[in-house]
Amino acid sequence: MPLDTRKFRDVMGTFTTGVTIITTMDKQTPHGITANSFTSVSLSPPLVMFCLGKSSTNFEAFMASDCFAVNILSSQQDALSTRFATFEGDRFDGLNWTAWDTGAPILENVIAAIDCRLEATHDAGDHVIMLGLVVRAEIQNNAPPLLYFKGGYERLETT
């Protein structure tokens, strides 16, 4: 008997994750998505991965590019996360960003950023696993992280 997709999503939602915006450049145009399916893979060589939905409006841009950047969001950046998760216009309009070695956008005021060259892609059902070789990684500030739990944003309690 197949597992109900809503139930599976609800169960997986109980695993708290950080929130990132993954960015890339395609034909001199910046593209980005909100993702919580991000993790480190290896220290030597330094590898990270994220999962890209095949139904994403940015799917073709990511598949055509040879790089991506991971922007780790702070607890004050929930509106930015929502913008990159739902907005269909120019998600970069009015945003300050720069580019490092690969040219993928590094957003201003994120906790940390990781610049990657695309190492490999792997088909994974309705997603593609994007594996990146890290060419630069920097902590930008010490703000608390934005978290995702049970379909909503959460913040760490500080004492």
Side-chain angles (χ1 to χ4, degrees):
M1 183 156 126
L3 181 62
D4 175 69
T5 56
R6 179 75 252 172
K7 180 177 181 181
F8 183 58
R9 186 180 187 117
D10 290 345
V11 169
M12 295 311 298
T14 66
F15 182 69
T16 304
T17 65
V19 182
T20 67
I21 293 177
I22 312 290
T23 59
T24 194
M25 287 293 279
D26 179 40
K27 300 176 185 153
Q28 306 299 318
T29 302
H31 297 270
I33 60 167
T34 298
N36 67 337
S37 61
F38 162 75
T39 192
S40 62
V41 175
S42 170
L43 292 175
S44 183
L47 297 170
V48 296
M49 58 142 280
F50 76 98
C51 297
L52 175 65
K54 292 178 182 175
S55 64
S56 170
T57 57
N58 288 279
F59 183 78
E60 295 303 325
F62 276 94
M63 295 305 290
S65 182
D66 65 352
C67 65
F68 64 87
V70 180
N71 296 274
I72 300 172
L73 301 186
S74 77
S75 62
Q76 301 303 308
Q77 294 177 310
D78 53 331
L80 185 62
S81 172
T82 300
R83 177 181 183 157
F84 275 80
T86 60
F87 184 67
E88 290 301 322
D90 179 0
R91 293 173 176 168
F92 289 85
D93 185 36
L95 292 183
N96 292 323
W97 60 275
T98 189
W100 292 346
D101 302 21
T102 70
I106 305 296
L107 302 177
E108 189 174 86
N109 297 321
V110 295
I111 293 177
I114 304 162
D115 198 16
C116 305
R117 297 211 184 282
L118 185 62
E119 183 79 5
T121 60
H122 301 281
D123 188 66
D126 59 0
H127 282 67
V128 172
I129 298 169
M130 309 288 284
L131 185 67
L133 176 66
V134 177
V135 296
R136 182 174 172 185
E138 301 285 340
I139 295 172
Q140 306 290 2
N141 68 64
N142 291 320
L146 181 61
L147 303 176
Y148 196 71
F149 177 70
K150 290 190 174 181
Y153 298 119
E154 295 290 339
R155 288 162 180 77
L156 289 176
E157 295 283 331
T158 57
T159 56

